[in-house]
Amino acid sequence: MKTRHGVEQQYRAGFQTAEGARRRIVARRPYAGSVAWQSAQRIERPATTPAESDAMLPKLAYSWGVHIHILAVHLDYNVSGNGTPLGSAAPRVRFEREAEWTAIEDVVYCRWIDPTTLLYMTQSQRVFVFETQFAQETEISTVPPARIVGRAWVTLTTGVEAEPSYAAAMGVHRRRLFAHCGSALYVGRLLSWAERLELLATQGQLVDAIALATGFYQARTGQIVVGLPRVQRPGDAGQLRRQALVGGRLADLMRRALQTTLAIDRAPRATDAEVRALATVCVQACLALSDMQILFGDVFESFSSEPYRLAFLETVEPFILSGAITRVPAQMLNALIDGFGSTLSHVQRLGAVLYALDLRHGEFDIDRVLGCCRKLRLWRTFARVWLDLGDPIAPVASIIAAATQENELVGNELVDQEQLDDEVPSAVIFDYFDMVMRGRSYPDGQLLKPQARAEAYSARVAQLVFPPATDDAKGTFHTLRALLAIGTERLLATLGHILNDPFTSYINLIVKPSSPQTSRDSGRALRRASQVKSLVQVVVDALHALTMAAHSHPEQNILAPRQIGLLTSFALILYATRFPLVYLTDATVSEWSDVLLTLNDTSTRVERENAFELLFKLNPPPEYADYIDRVRGAGFFRVLEHIYYTLGQFEDALRTFLDHPDFVQRRAVFAAIQDLGAASRPHATESVCRFVVSNAAELVEVDADAFVETVETVEALDHISVVDALDMHPQLQFSYMRALLDPAPEQHTPSDERSPPNIGLPDEQHIVVYPFQSLVPDNAQSANKFSQALHERYLELMCQYSPGAVLPYLKQHADQ
């Protein structure tokens, strides 16, 4: 039988007989093996490292199947104490396992190139180089022009099927490989790193050459590299020598590739894919070299022509966004602005690029960058650049002006609102205000360092928004009024977040007097001393001055009534909750109280009532009665209740619940009645009885069931008095008595044993008979304690207002 090697198959098995049957045993897989010997090396100097010591020893490499074994050979002599051999006995040979490797196929040939590098070939004639010291394998890409001729000596001589032998067809001498390929002799060798780069460059594969050189420089090729020192750890001497050898060659390859690929007279011109591939490897190479001068010098200038500029900028963009490139020169920044600011799809990308860059004063054209941000409405970047320049208040006016425009897209048709939602000025201004006031950078929110810088920025913005009061409130508080016009609720929410941050407790502002004070005696102007105030005090003072001016001069349209109500409520809540950190004079409290009570704005009634209630409890008035009419006119019924309770006028206090426009507050009257009824004061109990009788009709209208439950709970109340009080309101009287005598049963499904017995009467005459009193419904049991006259009165009202319920009621109470 012919085999794939062209020799006749010889089986190494015979025939065996087992229970009359004959079967043949066949070796189905050819054997494959090889052996290589590396002699001991002689060096002129002693070994200084374990690796050098191992390289001096002889080595044996053998393969069996796909497995390769590397053994170091040691000779052990019998020596005396001083190290001299004893007798003439031969040394003992000892093999020490040094490395093992598994190939992808059966190995048919292996030879040593040097003490640390082994060359081997698999059965499909794929040639690999294996570095034993680091267990690293590299396949040789250039193969012989024809198949290497092997000899099947083992198969022909022994009859055992085995792979051909290549010992006579291949050889290694002085790092060169010799192979017999048919009628030709092939000679090859491992190329050094420099030769590999030059070969790629000669073949026109400059992009691959730059990528490979970058890998050489960083020691990240994953291949065996001839001629370069090994890197044991980052920063060692091997890495420094490697970088010194490769760095200059890498820079030369980049310049050569740029001149060749981007030449103006090149025909045909480089494709976009080629340009982007070259730009990518050049940027990676410059980052590996840590040489930005080459990147922004030779590389950038080569791509600066119009056909290639945008491709280069888009290639650099991901490196900027990832933080690999944080600073660029002025010409590069201008190119980014021109290239990314000209189309709609690049506008948002430009904002992200400018945000990621470290823009410092003196290194770029400030006016150009800020003008670009203003034109393209990149307000986040606009604010961030100003903040990096050390001026936290410069961007405020521009962003406010943009936010107060009637249409935020007017004048720039390139900006898509959906695309740039995070650049909307009305959102940017409040986020910026919040972060800077809390000592954080914008827009990332990181704490500003050092602490003194953060406090200075916060104080400057606070002085801009909350300046000292003057006679011209409309002009003095221009910035604050602009923020209120953008969004009053948003501003107050932001202020609440700011003042709740512990950082703001460190902010103290020096408030200078707005105008000198005139002495009454001499008529001379006296300069008042400056004051140091906390941030929350400054905010409250500014809100007081603005709201009082707006309330006193409504014709000037300083603030809308709703804004006055919200600001006054917010400031007084700050005062009430942070006293004594916030101090207000009695005159100021009285003025603000008048604003809360007299402001004609129903939309802020709840907020004003909450603020007035806190203020009222913090600063009780000397005479509560003086505020009754004003509080009632303002609709502050909760405060009015507090006043009446304080004065002991319990009936009037309960009346405030019924006067409240909110149904939930009106229904809360029953809980108040129960609380007063449980009190031990006789005066309170009498007041409750009088209130219930005199307001029985309104209480039924609120909730008849809750009213009945309340009368049941309070011992001083009785149902008869309530029913009599409702004689003038028969329909309400019916509602009350129905809740008392015939409450709606709970929805439930009775079990079989609880079902009433059927005594065979017609349905219309059916009477339910309960054999035990415990099975009588609760409402039937409760109805038994009322007089017959009350039931008859209820039946009369039922016939008038709900005649269909008479018969079921009679059936239910037939046994009573």
Side-chain angles (χ1 to χ4, degrees):
M1 180 183 295
K2 294 292 185 181
T3 67
R4 57 179 174 168
H5 306 299
V7 299
E8 188 167 342
Q9 176 78 47
Q10 297 290 335
Y11 295 103
R12 59 183 180 89
F15 295 91
Q16 296 179 357
T17 304
E19 298 180 358
R22 294 169 59 86
R23 63 189 181 94
R24 186 176 59 182
I25 302 174
V26 182
R28 298 183 180 274
R29 181 180 176 184
Y31 292 109
S34 180
V35 64
W37 174 262
Q38 172 64 37
S39 303
Q41 301 294 307
R42 295 182 179 180
I43 56 177
E44 297 179 357
R45 58 177 179 80
T48 58
T49 63
E52 290 183 355
S53 299
D54 293 341
M56 296 172 60
L57 297 174
K59 294 182 180 181
L60 176 68
Y62 71 91
S63 65
W64 185 251
V66 296
H67 302 287
I68 301 176
H69 303 271
I70 310 296
L71 304 177
V73 182
H74 298 267
L75 299 179
D76 296 335
Y77 294 90
N78 293 325
V79 296
S80 62
N82 57 5
T84 59
L86 294 177
S88 59
R92 183 172 58 88
V93 179
R94 177 170 54 88
F95 295 94
E96 181 178 343
R97 188 180 305 276
E98 184 175 292
E100 291 184 358
W101 190 253
T102 301
I104 60 174
E105 295 177 321
D106 288 347
V107 178
V108 298
Y109 179 82
C110 63
R111 286 293 183 272
W112 289 99
I113 297 178
D114 57 40
T116 60
T117 307
L118 179 71
L119 180 142
Y120 70 87
M121 186 176 69
T122 65
Q123 62 182 14
S124 61
Q125 298 195 0
R126 296 174 63 180
V127 182
F128 295 85
V129 177
F130 176 66
E131 194 171 30
T132 59
Q133 183 178 357
F134 300 98
Q136 192 174 44
E137 177 189 72
T138 302
E139 183 176 5
I140 297 178
S141 58
T142 304
V143 296
R147 291 189 61 84
I148 303 175
V149 179
R151 303 300 180 189
W153 302 118
V154 175
T155 302
L156 294 176
T157 57
T158 65
V160 177
E161 184 182 11
E163 293 288 346
S165 173
Y166 297 91
M170 299 179 63
V172 176
H173 180 67
R174 293 187 178 181
R175 304 180 66 88
R176 282 180 167 82
L177 173 64
F178 299 86
H180 180 208
C181 304
S183 60
L185 184 64
Y186 175 83
V187 180
R189 64 183 178 87
L190 294 180
L191 298 180
S192 66
W193 66 273
E195 292 172 332
R196 292 173 63 183
L197 295 179
E198 186 61 29
L199 177 61
L200 290 175
T202 304
Q203 295 174 349
Q205 303 178 30
L206 293 171
V207 172
D208 295 335
I210 296 174
L212 182 61
T214 304
F216 288 161
Y217 187 86
Q218 298 176 317
R220 295 179 180 176
T221 59
Q223 301 176 353
I224 298 175
V225 182
V226 178
L228 287 179
R230 298 289 304 193
V231 178
Q232 303 289 343
R233 59 185 180 276
D236 63 359
Q239 182 179 24
L240 297 178
R241 292 197 304 270
R242 172 187 285 259
Q243 292 178 352
L245 292 171
V246 180
R249 184 64 62 87
L250 178 56
D252 293 339
L253 283 174
M254 282 193 292
R255 296 187 181 94
R256 181 175 175 182
L258 293 171
Q259 294 174 359
T260 304
T261 307
L262 305 180
I264 300 177
D265 55 350
R266 174 181 171 175
R269 179 172 293 180
T271 63
D272 184 71
E274 293 175 342
V275 173
R276 293 178 184 272
L278 177 59
T280 300
V281 296
C282 287
V283 173
Q284 292 173 343
C286 292
L287 292 176
L289 293 170
S290 299
D291 193 343
M292 295 295 103
Q293 291 184 349
I294 297 179
L295 177 60
F296 300 124
D298 296 342
V299 177
F300 174 66
E301 291 176 1
S302 300
F303 285 95
S304 60
S305 59
E306 188 60 33
Y308 312 124
R309 181 186 305 170
L310 184 59
F312 178 73
L313 297 177
E314 291 180 345
T315 302
V316 174
E317 176 190 4
F319 293 95
I320 296 176
L321 298 180
S322 64
I325 299 176
T326 58
R327 301 174 68 179
V328 298
Q331 63 272 20
M332 179 69 179
L333 184 61
N334 294 336
L336 286 169
I337 293 174
D338 294 336
F340 280 15
S342 58
T343 59
L344 173 63
S345 60
H346 288 89
V347 170
Q348 189 175 18
R349 295 167 62 180
L350 175 62
V353 168
L354 294 178
Y355 167 70
L357 288 174
D358 183 10
L359 302 177
R360 298 185 180 182
H361 182 67
E363 299 182 0
F364 62 97
D365 189 348
I366 300 176
D367 294 335
R368 181 175 176 81
V369 174
L370 295 177
C372 168
C373 294
R374 188 183 292 108
K375 176 183 177 182
L376 300 176
R377 309 181 69 78
L378 301 174
W379 298 113
R380 285 202 317 159
T381 307
F382 182 80
R384 180 246 175 175
V385 171
W386 274 117
L387 193 63
D388 288 348
L389 294 176
D391 193 344
I393 63 175
V396 175
S398 298
I399 300 177
I400 288 177
T404 53
Q405 292 179 358
E406 294 182 358
N407 186 352
E408 295 184 352
L409 301 180
V410 173
N412 191 348
E413 59 183 6
L414 292 178
V415 179
D416 184 1
Q417 180 68 18
E418 295 183 358
Q419 181 185 7
L420 302 179
D421 282 341
D422 54 352
E423 300 285 357
V424 175
S426 59
V428 170
I429 186 60
F430 289 117
D431 291 341
Y432 177 80
F433 179 58
D434 174 71
M435 293 184 185
V436 176
M437 288 293 294
R438 294 189 298 115
R440 287 164 169 76
S441 61
Y442 179 81
D444 54 9
Q446 299 295 324
L447 289 174
L448 287 171
K449 298 297 180 66
Q451 177 79 6
R453 178 190 176 197
E455 294 178 5
Y457 284 5
S458 180
R460 292 180 63 183
V461 175
Q463 291 171 347
L464 173 67
V465 181
F466 308 104
T470 63
D471 296 335
D472 182 16
K474 193 171 184 178
T476 302
F477 298 104
H478 171 74
T479 303
L480 178 57
R481 290 176 57 247
L483 292 174
L484 291 170
I486 297 172
T488 303
E489 288 83 355
R490 179 71 184 274
L491 175 61
L492 295 181
T494 303
L495 277 176
H497 188 228
I498 292 171
L499 296 177
N500 287 329
D501 194 307
F503 171 82
T504 56
S505 60
Y506 299 98
I507 307 303
N508 296 310
L509 289 84
I510 300 177
V511 181
K512 298 180 179 179
S514 56
S515 59
Q517 184 179 14
T518 303
S519 175
R520 296 181 179 179
D521 299 333
S522 61
R524 298 176 59 187
L526 302 178
R527 185 174 299 276
R528 292 178 293 179
S530 300
Q531 295 179 329
V532 178
K533 296 184 178 181
S534 63
L535 177 61
V536 63
Q537 181 71 58
V538 170
V539 171
V540 172
D541 291 345
L543 295 181
H544 171 261
L546 180 60
T547 53
M548 293 308 302
H551 186 67
S552 303
H553 305 283
E555 71 281 356
Q556 297 184 8
N557 296 323
I558 299 177
L559 293 175
R562 174 172 174 79
Q563 292 176 325
I564 297 175
L566 292 176
L567 293 181
T568 303
S569 304
F570 179 81
L572 286 177
I573 290 176
L574 284 179
Y575 166 66
T577 55
R578 304 203 178 195
F579 181 84
L581 295 178
V582 179
Y583 173 75
L584 296 177
T585 62
D586 293 339
T588 301
V589 174
S590 178
E591 289 176 349
W592 249 341
S593 300
D594 293 339
V595 173
L596 292 175
L597 293 172
T598 60
L599 186 64
N600 184 18
D601 181 61
T602 57
S603 64
T604 59
R605 184 188 59 78
V606 176
E607 290 82 0
R608 289 186 289 117
E609 183 177 9
N610 293 336
F612 190 84
E613 185 177 13
L614 291 174
L615 184 64
F616 212 68
K617 294 179 179 179
L618 181 64
N619 293 330
E623 294 293 337
Y624 281 91
D626 296 340
Y627 281 87
I628 292 178
D629 294 336
R630 300 173 63 193
V631 171
R632 183 182 295 277
F636 298 167
F637 295 101
R638 195 167 62 249
V639 180
L640 188 62
E641 174 202 352
H642 173 71
I643 294 176
Y644 283 132
Y645 271 119
T646 305
L647 296 176
Q649 300 177 13
F650 300 112
E651 293 183 58
D652 295 329
L654 294 174
R655 183 66 204 179
T656 58
F657 288 94
L658 298 179
D659 294 337
H660 204 286
D662 189 0
F663 175 77
V664 176
Q665 287 296 116
R666 292 201 303 272
R667 199 175 184 280
V669 68
F670 301 111
I673 291 174
Q674 295 178 23
D675 293 340
L676 277 178
S680 59
R681 292 181 291 181
H683 176 60
T685 304
E686 295 173 0
S687 299
V688 168
C689 294
R690 288 194 301 269
F691 173 78
V692 169
V693 172
S694 59
N695 298 278
E698 293 186 63
L699 293 173
V700 173
E701 289 179 344
V702 173
D703 193 335
D705 294 326
F707 189 15
V708 171
E709 183 181 354
T710 301
V711 175
E712 290 281 350
T713 303
V714 180
E715 295 181 359
L717 299 177
D718 63 279
H719 296 291
I720 303 300
S721 300
V722 176
V723 172
D724 293 341
L726 294 171
D727 284 339
M728 301 301 295
H729 308 279
Q731 188 170 0
L732 296 177
Q733 189 181 47
F734 169 70
S735 299
Y736 182 84
M737 296 181 71
R738 180 173 57 184
L740 175 64
L741 301 175
D742 192 20
E746 296 182 0
Q747 299 294 332
H748 65 279
T749 303
S751 60
D752 295 338
E753 62 270 18
R754 295 293 300 272
S755 301
N758 188 347
I759 60 178
L761 295 177
D763 292 340
E764 64 273 7
Q765 299 178 6
H766 177 65
I767 299 176
V768 179
V769 179
Y770 292 90
F772 302 102
Q773 184 65 24
S774 60
L775 298 181
V776 179
D778 293 339
N779 57 344
Q781 296 181 27
S782 62
N784 293 334
K785 64 182 180 180
F786 301 112
S787 64
Q788 185 68 23
L790 191 63
H791 284 281
E792 292 176 357
R793 175 59 178 164
Y794 177 55
L795 286 173
E796 293 176 2
L797 296 173
M798 190 184 301
C799 292
Q800 182 179 357
Y801 296 106
S802 182
V806 174
L807 182 60
Y809 181 78
L810 291 176
K811 289 181 179 181
Q812 182 178 355
H813 300 280
D815 58 339
Q816 300 178 11

